[in-house]
């Protein structure tokens, strides 16, 4: 029987960027790089080599300094080494979301315990960028303009449809981001992937605007995640 890891590795290492985006929107596909292909294989083999279902934790789309570099959701090269024990030669990158997520992972009991219960992913699996005014590319969200959203909607639908076949708990999904919730609920209304959706504030929002309240948000994350696995 194929494991969760088998299915995830096959999926990520064959991802192709869509060709129908507006001309000023770029896509980063790290999975075409040999080192990222190796990282994906090692990460999923280490934490997902079983057929057990996971609770899906869904972000928006990767940032260019997290999964846009490593191929692992919400994970920078340095956090891949420090928390997941996976050596790599990728350049360390700044990524607020990854900093908070790995505080959550550690508070939950570490990477092995966390990933035995949860699958971190995104509605769209590749990092998006937009040309900045004299600053180079900047991070972009799939919902930042209507044309991009509608162009990617079939790919978003297929992303979630394919990934739930890795092995998922359909009773509940965790949505990261209040605005993201609008789109996940729209998708779920159309496709009935999950019985229930619970939403948490996005890690980037927490570290950018609510740093004084990080302990409260961390406690809220852990309580919500424990409620989700109790609901399984």
């Amino acid at each position: 029987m194929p494991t969760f890891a088998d299915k995830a590795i096959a999926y990520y290492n064959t991802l192709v960027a869509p060709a129908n985006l507006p001309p000023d929107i770029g896509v980063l596909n790290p999975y075409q790089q040999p080192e990222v292909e190796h990282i994906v294989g090692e990460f999923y083999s280490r934490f997902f080599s079983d057929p057990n279902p996971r609770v899906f934790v869904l972000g928006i789309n990767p940032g260019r300094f997290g999964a846009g570099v490593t191929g692992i959701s919400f994970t920078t090269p340095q956090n891949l080494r420090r928390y997941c024990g996976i050596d790599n030669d990728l350049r360390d990158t700044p990524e607020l979301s990854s900093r908070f997520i790995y505080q959550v992972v550690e508070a939950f009991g570490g990477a092995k315990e966390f990933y035995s219960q949860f699958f971190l992913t995104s509605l769209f699996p590749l990092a998006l960028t937009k040309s900045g005014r004299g600053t180079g590319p900047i991070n972009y969200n799939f919902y930042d303009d209507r044309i991009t959203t509608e162009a990617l909607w079939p790919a978003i639908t297929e992303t979630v449809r394919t990934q739930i076949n890795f092995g998922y708990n359909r009773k509940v999904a965790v949505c990261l981001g209040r605005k993201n919730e609008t789109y996940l609920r729209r998708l779920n209304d159309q496709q009935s992937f999950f019985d229930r959706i619970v939403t948490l504030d996005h890690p980037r929002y927490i570290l950018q605007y609510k740093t004084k309240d990080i302990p409260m948000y961390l406690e809220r994350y852990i309580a919500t995640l424990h409620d989700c696995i109790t609901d399984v």
Side-chain angles (χ1 to χ4, degrees):
M1 171 186 285
T3 65
F4 192 112
D6 294 330
K7 297 173 185 177
I9 291 166
Y11 169 76
Y12 283 112
N13 287 335
T14 55
L15 270 178
V16 177
N20 63 333
L21 289 171
D24 59 338
I25 305 300
V27 182
L28 302 180
N29 186 356
Y31 303 102
Q32 297 176 338
Q33 301 172 19
E35 183 165 9
V36 173
E37 185 175 352
H38 175 77
I39 287 169
V40 167
E42 187 172 352
F43 177 85
Y44 284 99
S45 296
R46 177 172 297 200
F47 297 114
F48 293 86
S49 284
D50 58 66
N52 302 333
R54 266 71 171 181
V55 173
F56 275 44
V57 182
L58 297 123
I60 305 160
N61 49 261
R64 71 192 193 282
F65 294 138
V69 174
T70 63
I72 306 300
S73 293
F74 292 97
T75 304
T76 57
Q78 61 269 34
N79 285 345
L80 195 62
R81 297 184 209 106
R82 179 177 179 183
Y83 298 104
C84 303
I86 297 177
D87 289 334
N88 63 86
D89 294 323
L90 298 172
R91 179 177 59 86
D92 289 355
T93 53
E95 173 61 66
L96 291 178
S97 295
S98 185
R99 281 171 49 194
F100 183 79
I101 283 294
Y102 276 92
Q103 289 183 56
V104 173
V105 169
E106 285 295 283
F108 197 83
K112 185 175 181 181
E113 179 63 27
F114 179 85
Y115 288 119
S116 73
Q117 302 283 351
F118 299 99
F119 173 48
L120 282 173
T121 186
S122 298
L123 291 186
F124 182 68
L126 298 174
L128 299 174
T129 63
K130 185 172 184 177
S131 302
R133 295 182 177 179
T135 60
I138 59 174
N139 280 333
Y140 204 66
N141 298 319
F142 74 79
Y143 56 54
D144 284 343
D145 74 86
R146 183 183 58 80
I147 294 174
T148 299
T149 304
E150 296 310 314
L152 289 178
W153 198 251
I156 288 169
T157 304
E158 192 58 28
T159 293
V160 180
R161 188 192 309 282
T162 302
Q163 290 187 350
I164 64 175
N165 288 325
F166 299 169
Y168 84 121
N169 173 320
R170 73 161 296 136
K171 290 184 179 180
V172 61
V174 180
C175 178
L176 301 185
R178 301 294 171 180
K179 189 170 182 180
N180 196 35
E181 179 183 15
T182 301
Y183 296 90
L184 179 53
R185 290 196 182 278
R186 171 183 161 188
L187 179 67
N188 206 49
D189 288 344
Q190 294 172 353
Q191 305 294 332
S192 300
F193 289 140
F194 307 102
D195 294 343
R196 184 167 68 95
I197 294 168
V198 296
T199 301
L200 291 164
D201 288 295
H202 197 280
R204 184 176 60 247
Y205 166 80
I206 295 168
L207 283 216
Q208 193 165 352
Y209 300 109
K210 300 290 182 178
T211 52
K212 292 181 180 179
D213 299 322
I214 286 175
M216 181 269 289
Y217 282 104
L218 188 58
E219 184 176 327
R220 183 178 296 172
Y221 260 68
I222 295 301
T224 299
L225 294 177
H226 278 298
D227 285 347
C228 287
I229 59 176
T230 301
D231 189 47
V232 173

